[in-house]
């Protein structure tokens, strides 16, 4: 009969104990155990994300501005359909009362029975008492008797026991683990509990990742003006990394958080506990997702569509069929469109971390293939992200090459750059205003929404009326990029009711500047009743996006507080 064996080791960051459990016969050698390939946790994924920002006034539970941001950001990241089979079915609870959280946990536990992987993420207030981790609902009091703790606060270990999937489980606790004075003694005074007692959540096949060490603090922001906690920021970055298993990600999260809070009186040190035997990937390994032996056809995108489609929309469509690992393999083979798309993703942090060196390398190669999309994007990169000498002349030449191939987006970009003087005095051609208008009219006739929008500001009266009519028609057909442009245009004219309609559609379609404008409309009561709650909600969503411009960040940052 086989005996159950545990092989344990410690990794030196905080306290990371990993136990390998396997069926080991009497004849099995230690070498055979260590040579055995570890299984990979795969299958249906579910997640419960809880973020509490608002708490009762008059208690010691102060407001945590970033908790909702953290929960929304992690939830959106895990549920994004771009992740394909790695996508989580996410339930999001914001500012949950005890009743709401308990009901969500019970429903989550039921779903977990039919799931392979379960993830719980909590961000908000928390504390330790009598070797137990408690999370704090939004309606929690400031003081209770010890026997009443379970009536007002929620035991994390109970959640870990009940909400358990078949194969693999993760619990993330972005909360303090301090012993706060909330338990009323017989003398009527509050006490914090025994300082020698430390809580520990134990559940099989589970990783438990605390944002702080026992008795430690978890910061809502570091630096103070950031809109995500350091723990959520680093964890989200790790969750985006394809081919990196959880055990490789978590030490990097701990390292970042420690460095980000090193200047505080009490630096924050995340800690891992748990017992698990399987490897887990938030995004699959490149080798697993794309065997080398598989012959991949090149990317094919209709040139007319490519000529007018905005990159964020294009990337989402491409990633639904081709994961980042496949794009990398195609780019390594010199595929023009894979080089262009992957370069854009690295340049602007779309589903991959920002890496300007990698972006420049890929976009330059894309331009060298002669593909107009690559030529345009490399030119745009040079103008806006590069410090190379003579970049303006090189960019102008690249734009002209793409225009010569009748590429609508290149016409719009070249026209806009000419009108804005982006090429410098030496780069302005004679009659550039007339040339810019001609290019915009050509691109608009090809259906490029941004060209239509540009004509609203730079065209003559006839061109403006025609462009507005076409934009409205495209919007009626469900083109969100048109709604985004009409949002901006109507805000500039003070047409508040129309602005609210267009901004709402575009904001819900993930256009970040429309999200920012909608936040401003609600804060000022333009076309809508004044609503600080909705203004804060949309501001926080916009501020969580990496491609929101700095000027917009400056204007709406106070709304998200």
């Amino acid at each position: 009969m086989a005996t159950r064996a545990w092989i344990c080791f410690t990794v030196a960051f905080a306290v990371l104990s990993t136990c390998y459990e396997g069926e080991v016969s009497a004849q099995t050698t230690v070498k055979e155990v260590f040579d055995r390939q570890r299984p990979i946790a795969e299958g249906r994924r579910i997640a419960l994300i809880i973020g509490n920002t608002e708490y009762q006034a008059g208690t010691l539970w102060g407001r945590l501005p970033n908790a909702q941001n953290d929960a929304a950001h992690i939830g959106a990241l895990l549920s994004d359909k771009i992740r394909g089979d790695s996508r989580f079915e996410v339930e999001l609870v914001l500012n949950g009362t005890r009743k709401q959280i308990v009901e969500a946990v019970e429903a989550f536990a039921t779903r977990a029975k039919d799931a392979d992987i379960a993830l719980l993420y909590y961000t908000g207030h928390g504390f330790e008492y009598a070797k137990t981790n408690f999370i704090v609902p939004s309606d929690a009091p400031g003081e209770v008797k010890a026997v009443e703790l379970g009536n007002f606060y929620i035991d994390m270990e109970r959640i870990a026991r009940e909400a358990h999937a078949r194969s693999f489980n993760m619990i993330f606790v972005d909360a303090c683990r301090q012993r706060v004075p909330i338990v009323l003694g017989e003398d009527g005074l509050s006490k914090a509990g025994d300082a020698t007692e430390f809580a520990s959540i134990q559940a099989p096949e589970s990783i438990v990742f605390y944002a702080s060490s026992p008795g430690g603090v978890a910061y809502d922001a570091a630096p103070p003006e950031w809109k995500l906690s350091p723990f959520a920021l680093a964890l989200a970055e790790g969750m985006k990394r394809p081919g990196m298993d959880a055990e490789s990600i978590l030490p990097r999260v701990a390292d970042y958080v420690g460095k980000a809070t090193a200047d505080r009186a009490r630096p924050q040190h995340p800690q891992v506990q748990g017992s698990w035997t399987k490897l887990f990937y938030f995004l699959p390994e490149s080798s697993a997702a794309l065997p080398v032996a598989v012959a991949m056809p090149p990317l094919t995108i209709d040139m007319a569509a490519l000529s007018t489609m905005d990159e964020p929309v294009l990337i989402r469509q491409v990633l639904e069929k081709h994961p980042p690992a496949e794009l990398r393999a195609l780019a390594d083979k010199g595929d023009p469109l894979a080089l262009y798309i992957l370069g854009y993703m690295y340049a602007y942090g779309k589903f991959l971390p920002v890496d300007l060196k990698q972006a420049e390398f890929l976009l330059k190669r894309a331009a060298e293939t002669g593909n107009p999309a690559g030529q345009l994007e490399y030119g745009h990169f040079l103008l806006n992200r590069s410090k190379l000498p003579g970049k303006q002349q090189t960019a102008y030449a690249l734009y002209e090459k793409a225009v010569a191939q009748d590429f609508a987006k290149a016409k719009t970009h070249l026209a806009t750059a000419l009108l804005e003087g982006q090429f410098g005095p030496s780069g302005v051609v004679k009659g550039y205003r007339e040339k810019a208008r001609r290019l915009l009219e050509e691109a608009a006739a090809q259906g490029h929404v941004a060209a239509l929008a540009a004509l609203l500001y730079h065209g003559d009266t006839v061109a403006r009326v025609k462009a507005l009519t076409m934009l409205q028609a495209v919007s009626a057909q469900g083109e969100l990029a048109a709604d985004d442009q009409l949002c901006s245009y109507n805000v500039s004219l003070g047409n508040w009711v129309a602005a609210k309609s267009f901004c709402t559609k575009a904001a819900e379609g993930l256009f970040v500047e429309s999200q920012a404008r909608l936040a401003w409309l609600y804060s000022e009561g333009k076309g809508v009743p004044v609503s600080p709650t909705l203004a804060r909600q949309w501001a926080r969503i916009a501020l969580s996006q990496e491609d929101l411009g700095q000027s917009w960040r400056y204007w709406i940052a106070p709304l998200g507080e």
Side-chain angles (χ1 to χ4, degrees):
M1 180 180 292
T3 59
R4 189 173 296 273
W6 290 84
I7 302 171
C8 302
F9 62 96
T10 299
V11 177
F13 88 96
V15 180
L16 169 55
S17 298
T18 304
C19 298
Y20 182 88
E21 182 186 9
E23 297 295 335
V24 183
S25 69
Q27 291 78 32
T28 302
T29 66
V30 172
K31 183 178 184 302
E32 287 173 335
V33 171
F34 279 95
D35 287 345
R36 183 180 298 152
Q37 184 176 0
R38 292 176 65 189
I40 296 175
E42 298 176 300
R44 182 187 173 205
R45 303 176 174 207
I46 65 169
L48 174 61
I49 313 292
I50 304 169
N52 283 354
T53 283
E54 308 294 344
Y55 286 89
Q56 291 195 88
T59 68
L60 58 77
W61 311 118
R63 187 172 184 273
L64 298 173
N66 282 348
Q68 280 183 300
N69 296 348
D70 297 340
H73 188 69
I74 296 295
L77 181 68
L78 292 177
S79 62
D80 198 315
K81 63 182 180 181
I82 295 302
R83 304 178 81 88
D85 292 340
S86 300
R87 181 185 184 191
F88 281 77
E89 301 168 25
V90 173
E91 177 72 21
L92 182 64
V93 177
L94 299 179
N95 293 322
T97 62
R98 184 183 185 281
K99 181 176 183 294
Q100 290 170 333
I101 294 175
V102 168
E103 289 176 350
V105 168
E106 289 175 349
F108 185 63
T110 300
R111 292 167 58 210
K113 294 176 182 178
D114 294 320
D116 299 285
I117 296 158
L119 182 150
L120 172 68
Y121 183 95
Y122 171 77
T123 173
H125 281 299
F127 66 95
E128 291 188 356
Y129 187 85
K131 296 185 179 180
T132 303
N133 274 292
F134 289 97
I135 64 175
V136 183
S138 62
D139 59 348
E143 296 177 326
V144 297
K145 295 179 181 179
V147 294
E148 296 177 325
L149 275 172
N151 296 332
F152 297 98
Y153 304 98
I154 299 173
D155 178 351
M156 282 296 296
E157 187 165 6
R158 179 179 176 183
I159 296 176
R161 289 196 306 267
E162 295 179 356
H164 204 71
R166 291 185 292 245
S167 179
F168 193 73
N169 303 273
M170 287 165 288
I171 300 172
F172 298 95
V173 186
D174 191 358
C176 297
R177 301 175 68 189
Q178 296 171 293
R179 295 165 191 81
V180 291
I182 67 164
V183 177
L184 291 171
E186 294 182 0
D187 55 5
L189 300 177
S190 299
K191 59 182 181 178
D194 189 341
T196 64
E197 297 176 340
F198 293 104
S200 176
I201 298 174
Q202 296 294 335
E205 285 300 338
S206 299
I207 289 178
V208 183
F209 196 19
Y210 300 97
S212 60
S213 54
V217 64
Y219 292 102
D220 190 52
E225 67 274 12
W226 284 24
K227 299 304 177 184
L228 292 174
S229 75
F231 183 78
L233 181 70
L235 184 60
E237 179 65 27
M239 289 175 171
K240 296 177 186 177
R241 297 295 180 103
M244 186 176 287
D245 64 272
E247 289 176 32
S248 300
I249 290 170
L250 302 189
R252 289 166 170 80
V253 174
D255 180 57
Y256 171 81
V257 172
K259 290 176 179 176
T261 60
D263 60 342
R264 303 295 182 94
R266 298 184 64 186
Q268 181 178 338
H269 297 294
Q271 182 192 53
V272 174
Q273 292 179 350
S275 301
W276 65 96
T277 66
K278 298 180 178 70
L279 291 170
F280 175 76
Y281 296 90
F282 287 102
L283 286 173
E285 287 183 298
S286 299
S287 58
L290 186 69
V292 177
V294 175
M296 296 169 297
L299 288 184
T300 55
I301 302 172
D302 178 73
M303 189 56 70
L306 186 66
S307 180
T308 58
M309 192 182 300
D310 286 348
E311 274 78 8
V313 177
L314 171 66
I315 288 170
R316 283 183 172 273
Q317 291 188 5
V318 169
L319 289 182
E320 287 175 5
K321 298 179 180 179
H322 307 279
E326 187 170 323
L327 289 180
R328 283 192 179 89
L330 288 167
D332 288 342
K333 293 182 176 182
D335 185 286
L337 293 179
L339 289 165
Y340 147 62
I341 293 170
L342 203 58
Y344 183 95
M345 291 167 67
Y346 276 119
Y348 299 99
K350 293 294 184 181
F351 308 107
L352 288 173
V354 173
D355 187 333
L356 295 185
K357 289 185 177 179
Q358 183 78 334
E360 185 165 12
F361 171 75
L362 292 165
L363 291 174
K364 184 178 180 181
R365 287 187 62 197
E368 289 170 348
T369 67
N371 183 279
Q375 292 169 336
L376 167 61
E377 201 55 50
Y378 184 44
H380 189 266
F381 179 88
L382 289 174
L383 276 184
N384 295 279
R385 310 301 292 271
S386 175
K387 297 180 180 180
L388 286 176
K391 63 178 185 178
Q392 292 164 316
Q393 291 81 1
T394 305
Y396 182 81
L398 287 165
Y399 279 23
E400 286 283 24
K401 288 180 180 179
V403 166
Q405 298 186 60
D406 203 31
F407 200 65
K409 280 192 291 190
K411 296 176 182 179
T412 304
H413 278 278
L414 178 55
T416 304
L418 286 170
L419 292 170
E420 295 178 354
Q422 291 186 35
F423 299 116
S426 62
V428 175
V429 298
K430 185 178 180 180
Y432 72 93
R433 291 187 183 278
E434 291 73 17
K435 178 174 182 174
R437 289 196 186 97
R438 175 177 56 79
L439 289 171
L440 288 176
E441 290 173 359
E442 290 180 8
Q446 291 175 264
H448 192 211
V449 168
L452 291 169
L455 284 172
L456 294 177
Y457 303 97
H458 300 296
D460 57 26
T461 302
V462 174
R464 289 178 182 178
V465 172
K466 184 177 180 180
L468 181 58
T469 301
M470 291 179 68
L471 269 177
Q472 292 170 336
V474 174
S475 169
Q477 294 171 5
E479 177 56 68
L480 292 175
D483 295 318
D484 185 49
Q485 297 292 350
L486 288 168
C487 165
S488 173
Y489 181 65
N490 282 284
V491 166
S492 71
L493 294 179
N495 296 335
W496 306 122
V497 175
K500 186 263 181 182
S501 175
F502 291 118
C503 291
T504 299
K505 287 193 289 184
E508 292 175 348
L510 303 180
F511 281 82
V512 65
E513 289 194 3
S514 285
Q515 293 170 344
R517 289 188 176 92
L518 191 58
W520 182 81
L521 291 177
Y522 277 113
S523 72
E524 299 293 320
K526 302 293 188 181
V528 293
V530 172
S531 175
T533 299
L534 288 173
R536 183 167 60 246
Q537 171 187 316
W538 282 111
R540 288 175 174 176
I541 292 172
L543 290 165
S544 70
Q545 307 301 311
E546 296 174 346
D547 53 343
L548 180 66
Q550 289 303 315
S551 60
W552 270 114
R553 287 188 182 279
Y554 173 79
W555 284 110
I556 70 168
L559 303 182
E561 295 176 352

